Amino acid sequence: MTATLMAPDVVDRPAHRDGNVLRWLAAYTSSMVGDSVYYIALSWAAVQAGSPTQAGLVMAASALPRAVLMLGGGVIADRFGPHRVVIGSDVVRCAAVLAVAVLLFLTSPGLWPLAALALVFGAVDAVFVPAVGALPARVTSRDQLARVQGMRGLGIRFASVVGGPLGGLGVALGGSAAAFGLAGLLIAVSVPLLVSVRIREVPADDRTAEARGTAWSDLTAGLRYIRGHRVLAPLMLAIALGDLGFVGPLNIGLTLLADERGWGAAGMGWMLAGFGVGAGAASLLLTVRGRLPHAGWVAACTIIAGSVAIGALARAPGIVVAVGTALLVGLLAGLSGAMCGALLQTQADPAYLGRVTAVASLVSLGLAPLSMPLSAAAIGVWGTGPVFVVSAVVCGLGGVVALCVPDLRRAELPKQP
């Protein structure tokens, strides 16, 4: 037994009081803050080095390798263990970001190093994201996974609030090189914390069975496992529909809505803040409660209610109502996302969790962003109202799927002792 295995006499504690989980959360949050700073640094450096169109291409360069390689990343996470993969991914990301920071400090290399960095980041993300999703099941007990989802959500909200100002401060004080350096250091902080995290391994029989196959057979086995699972298969469809209907209105629709109504950038900022507060409240609720009963039913109903709120957002008569509606959207989306994430964590066999996370992440990070340009083009033709309504219908179909499939509707999270 290696040093990373959890000793059998360790007493399980609630996740928010477990030092092992808290070290994982600190590592995850530091890495996410570093990511936020990195994207600020990359966008600023790209704008300074090229035209707006070129900068946009640099910013989008991560998407292709991330989408193409995501399923393979799930296989890697399950084969080598999510703990090793997350550590290795953070080391590579840190080294790449710091190398570009040094290059920018010494010279003005133009766009190519930035594009190369974006491609490397996207390729590493394809491995990092499935491993991050699979790691909580190795860090805590099964009955604490819902609470960990809430804690992870709080970490994401913290990173989104803190990362932007930190990145802006880095650019203001030392330019893109300083901001890249700060991002690399924040990612580096996560590595020793992750090394110190104790890991629960999957049963030896599962690992031996997985190791006998090729990478391709592992991938097809994972897809067959999802397709044949009575909860995971419909849950993937519900997540896909929910994300396809949600991502466009939130990411590009709010900007166009604020412009159409004359609320300006400040109005858009207030709506985003309202969404963030609502999503943070949902994560805090799950962190404190640890478990919500009737998880499948709650996920279905919050997806449907959230879709109604999305449709209502375009009909808001003023900025105050719009901010309140955005807060409601954030709360409902936060609850539905946390419930879906917790069900993925608890329903999937840990030996398949990397591949399960990869499929779910491929929908969210690979397919759903395609709705953004479509939403923008449709709003340009028909306006925000009809497009938000169509998006709400697509999102609501995810909830309908969850309600119509009995095994998913009746799915429960593990009870805490």
Side-chain angles (χ1 to χ4, degrees):
M1 183 172 292
T2 67
T4 59
L5 295 183
M6 180 171 283
D9 58 343
V10 171
V11 178
D12 289 326
R13 300 181 181 88
H16 61 297
R17 298 177 183 173
D18 186 343
N20 196 52
V21 176
L22 293 177
R23 286 193 298 275
W24 162 82
L25 180 63
Y28 177 75
T29 303
S30 180
S31 182
M32 291 299 99
V33 175
D35 273 9
S36 296
V37 174
Y38 156 77
Y39 283 111
I40 296 291
L42 183 66
S43 62
W44 182 263
V47 167
Q48 295 299 306
S51 67
T53 300
Q54 290 172 326
L57 290 174
V58 169
M59 293 302 296
S62 293
L64 182 61
R66 184 167 53 219
V68 171
L69 301 174
M70 184 71 74
L71 294 180
V75 172
I76 291 173
D78 285 336
R79 280 205 152 209
F80 296 98
H83 189 226
R84 294 176 182 174
V85 172
V86 171
I87 292 173
S89 299
D90 271 348
V91 169
V92 173
R93 296 193 311 155
C94 174
V97 171
L98 290 178
V100 171
V102 172
L103 189 62
L104 288 174
F105 180 77
L106 296 176
T107 183
S108 299
L111 285 170
W112 290 111
L114 302 178
L117 175 62
L119 289 170
V120 169
F121 230 78
V124 176
D125 267 355
V127 180
F128 176 78
V129 171
V132 163
L135 190 53
R138 314 291 183 98
V139 172
T140 190
S141 56
R142 189 167 174 268
D143 61 282
Q144 293 296 314
L145 286 174
R147 176 172 274 128
V148 168
Q149 282 297 114
M151 296 167 69
R152 183 180 176 186
L154 289 176
I156 293 172
R157 296 269 72 81
F158 178 83
S160 66
V161 170
V162 173
L166 272 179
L169 181 62
V171 169
L173 293 179
S176 300
F180 276 123
L182 177 59
L185 291 176
L186 285 166
I187 296 172
V189 168
S190 70
V191 175
L193 288 169
L194 285 169
V195 170
S196 70
V197 172
R198 301 186 305 277
I199 298 301
R200 300 169 183 261
E201 295 289 357
V202 297
D205 290 343
D206 290 342
R207 292 201 309 275
T208 302
E210 290 293 302
R212 284 197 294 265
T214 64
W216 178 254
S217 67
D218 283 358
L219 175 57
T220 56
L223 295 176
R224 284 197 305 270
Y225 171 76
I226 295 170
R227 187 179 61 208
H229 200 287
R230 293 184 175 181
V231 174
L232 293 179
L235 182 59
M236 290 294 182
L237 179 58
I239 291 172
L241 290 168
D243 283 346
L244 286 171
F246 176 78
V247 170
L250 178 66
N251 286 277
I252 191 66
L254 287 184
T255 303
L256 298 176
L257 177 63
D259 181 65
E260 182 182 282
R261 298 296 186 84
W263 297 334
M268 180 191 68
W270 279 111
M271 285 189 287
L272 288 173
F275 172 83
V277 169
S283 296
L284 182 61
L285 172 65
L286 197 57
T287 299
V288 173
R289 289 291 303 272
R291 177 185 183 272
L292 295 179
H294 313 296
W297 185 85
V298 170
C301 291
T302 50
I303 291 173
I304 293 172
S307 70
V308 174
I310 289 173
L313 189 58
R315 303 291 180 181
I319 185 60
V320 174
V321 176
V323 171
T325 307
L327 189 151
L328 182 61
V329 171
L331 178 63
L332 294 168
L335 281 174
S336 62
M339 288 296 98
C340 289
L343 286 171
L344 283 178
Q345 292 280 324
T346 55
Q347 291 288 328
D349 186 313
Y352 289 93
L353 197 47
R355 283 160 287 180
V356 170
T357 304
V359 172
S361 300
L362 179 62
V363 170
S364 300
L365 299 176
L367 299 181
L370 296 177
S371 66
M372 288 191 282
L374 294 176
S375 296
I379 289 173
V381 176
W382 293 293
T384 55
V387 174
F388 270 62
V389 169
V390 171
S391 296
V393 170
V394 174
C395 183
L397 286 174
V400 172
V401 168
L403 281 179
C404 291
V405 178
D407 289 303
L408 176 54
R409 184 179 67 246
R410 298 167 185 162
E412 292 279 6
L413 299 176
K415 292 184 178 180
Q416 300 173 16

